Amino acid sequence: MNSDAHPLARIAPEPGVSKPDPILVLDSVLRAFGGLRAVDVNHLEIQRGTITSLIGPNGAGKTTLFNVLTGFDRPEAGKWELNGGPLVGIPSFRVARKGMVRTFQLTKSLARLTVLENVLVAAKDQVGETFFGALFGRWRHIEEANEERAMRELKRFGLEHMVDEYAGSLSGGQRKLLEMARALMVEPEVVMLDEPMAGVNPALTQSLLSHIMALRDDGKTVVFIEHDMDVVQEISDWVVVMSQGAVIAEGPPAHIASNPEVIDAYLGRDHGEVP
Amino acid sequence: MDLVKILIDAGRTAVGVPAAAYALSSIGLNLQFGYTGLLNFGHVASMLVGAYGMAITVDSGGPLWLGVIVGIVAALILGLILGVPTLRLRADYLAIVTIAAGEILRLTVRSSWAAPLTKGIFGIQQFADPFFDVNPIPVGLYGIGRFRFDERTMWVLLLGWGLVALATLFMWKLTRSPWGRAIRAIRDDEDAALSLGKNVFGYKLQSLMVGGAIGALAGMFLAIDQQNVNPDAYIPLLTFYAFTIVILGGPGTLFGPIIGSIIFWFLFEFLDGFMTAAVLEGWFGDVLDSTDIGPIRFALFGIGLMWLMIYRPQGLFGRREEMLIGEQ
């Protein structure tokens, strides 16, 4: 990371700090399960065109926050905006169409669709996807253009030799790649990756990392949940740390690693002292 | 025992009215269950509203063609009413609601409260005369030897298999389109489809309604053949016949419901003829008599289905690889 020229270089590393060009802005988002405040975020901004890692111990509310932001869960309160447009109460499929696409911690490949179909189904604005469009519409030329783009995405992720295989017959790692190729087919501005590196072998982790960095180089904003601090250090422009539902710290990766609050959250407040 | 006669009778049923009716009905269920993954346990309800919509319209003085439109619209509305509250919920809720809805509808048209319209337990008869009046097929018997049909049956079969062909063409167009791909994506994983911007609820509702309309056509076709609608014909068993046929042929395949229906009705009739003959010849001594044939036939079907599930879960037309893919 080129820290001097970076737009986030001179941003103060404190929770809720405002950024020069935020694409995603959250305010007072609260999601509670009974008495448990699973997500309780005061203010958070995600800078456009960066890789932002969301880290935190198990149960910190990272995935719940993802679910809320992408319309898969409804919060008790709060508002959040994508590109200045409010997303509160917008159903998940519309959030995706507005340009924020997520993946899942447990890969969800469409097992009985082929690899190519998996990617094609994600294309937007296909008139043949409406009932009457399918029967009477002229959708084949759109389909051909989509196929070309799908093949490009599949090639990028090294899946072009498997286009006609059922997605269900792919290995775990290949499914991760397919899921990313599919998400890109939606032409998102923001890609939300929920633990893309979970359960993946080290070689593939490197490949996934370079893919994620390539997304940023394409001008996309990436938000991803990760546990492994080495991975986070390697590719993040900015790190947001959650604990018990709240954002307890944010800043550049180097700053986060030495933040005592973060170490407390991960290891407990009494670390280093023998009782 | 005259095995040839039994086989010919079974063959006649396999291309006959019930096979055509259930092929059509199963095409509708296949859209819902095979392609979209909707567990509709009340498919018979759409057959009922189709048949009654038509019969009541004609009985109240309307023309038959209007009755057909009323039947289709009634099934579309039924799909809407059943789908809106349940399709956002987990799959099992649709199953519960639809099986109940089927029974509620049957008991409602049967009730004396609805009798002014539905004629209660007596049902409505002789509403399809305009259809038989225009039968262009000359009087006579068509076929070879025992395997033949009269001109009335031929006319009905022409309608039935014609509808099956049209429905299959319609399904071919629909399921090979991006729309068809979207509903298969929903069948495989709803959340994934949502995350890719697909309006899952809208697709499921469309599938439920259109599948129901095809079911209504099957209901109307059966009613036209019998010139009779009667509440006690529309029991949940009809839904499970259709499920058996869809699974037999292969869920989510284009020709599965047709082949499934032909095989189903062939076996159904064959087992009946064979066992009747066997009982008459005293094969089973005092253990079985002719009243046991019905239940035993169903038991054999159940065993056959279990065998199919174990050795050929994809049905006769499905692709095995597709079924061997685990749920991850």
Side-chain angles (χ1 to χ4, degrees), chain A residues 72 92-94 96-97 100-104 106-114 116-118 120-124 126-132 134-137 139-140 143 146 164 166-169 175 179 182-183 186, chain B residues 31 34 37 88 169-203 206-207 210 251 319-328:
Chain A
F72 278 83
S92 51
F93 72 93
R94 290 235 165 79
R97 290 180 191 173
M100 184 156 77
V101 172
R102 70 168 301 177
T103 64
F104 296 89
L106 295 170
T107 323
K108 293 184 184 296
S109 61
L110 304 166
R112 283 179 284 170
L113 268 60
T114 66
L116 181 61
E117 283 179 320
N118 258 270
L120 279 176
V121 79
K124 287 198 291 190
Q126 167 55 281
V127 61
E129 268 192 1
T130 62
F131 180 74
F132 292 107
L135 292 174
F136 312 112
W139 50 263
R140 294 214 182 262
E143 190 74 355
N146 286 344
D164 294 326
Y166 283 117
S169 66
R175 287 182 201 193
E179 207 178 21
R182 202 171 62 187
V186 192
Chain B
L31 177 63
R88 287 184 209 276
L169 194 68
F170 173 76
M171 286 290 289
W172 177 80
K173 186 103 172 119
L174 208 49
T175 56
R176 266 144 194 77
S177 73
W179 188 88
R181 184 172 55 213
I183 59 169
R184 285 185 295 126
I186 290 164
R187 172 194 68 189
D188 281 2
D189 196 310
E190 267 181 43
D191 283 341
L194 281 172
S195 78
L196 299 173
K198 304 303 151 202
N199 182 356
V200 168
F201 174 74
Y203 279 111
Q206 288 170 4
S207 172
V210 173
R319 296 170 64 174
R320 187 160 181 83
E321 313 88 284
E322 203 172 307
M323 272 297 157
L324 292 177
I325 292 162
E327 297 289 312
Q328 298 167 40

Side-chain angles (χ1 to χ4, degrees), chain A residues 155-218:
Chain A
K155 204 165 277 177
R156 169 176 179 171
F157 288 93
L159 293 168
E160 75 273 20
H161 58 293
M162 317 203 64
V163 285
D164 294 326
E165 306 278 331
Y166 283 117
S169 66
L170 300 187
S171 71
Q174 286 168 329
R175 287 182 201 193
K176 295 259 181 201
L177 294 169
L178 177 60
E179 207 178 21
M180 281 176 81
R182 202 171 62 187
L184 291 183
M185 196 69 186
V186 192
E187 298 176 274
E189 285 186 81
V190 182
V191 185
M192 315 268 285
L193 306 169
D194 193 350
E195 293 203 37
M197 259 68 83
V200 164
N201 69 52
L204 188 62
T205 300
Q206 281 311 313
S207 151
L208 283 170
L209 286 179
S210 60
H211 283 307
I212 293 172
M213 286 191 275
L215 292 185
R216 177 189 52 194
D217 299 340
D218 285 354

Side-chain angles (χ1 to χ4, degrees), chain B residues 12 49 51 87 122 187 191 194 199 208 212 226 256 309 321:
Chain B
R12 211 168 43 180
V49 296
L87 288 177
F122 302 107
R187 172 194 68 189
D191 283 341
L194 281 172
N199 182 356
L208 191 68
Q226 290 158 2
M309 285 289 102
E321 313 88 284

Side-chain angles (χ1 to χ4, degrees), chain B residues 206-265:
Chain B
Q206 288 170 4
S207 172
L208 191 68
M209 290 169 70
V210 173
I214 299 174
L217 282 176
M220 288 187 262
F221 168 68
L222 268 182
I224 285 174
D225 172 57
Q226 290 158 2
Q227 286 264 42
N228 182 22
V229 288
N230 189 292
D232 295 323
Y234 300 95
I235 48 178
L237 187 64
L238 269 63
T239 301
F240 295 105
Y241 280 0
F243 262 100
T244 307
I245 287 165
V246 169
I247 291 167
L248 191 65
T253 59
L254 188 60
F255 295 108
I258 303 175
I259 304 299
S261 182
I262 289 173
I263 293 173
F264 177 87
W265 285 104

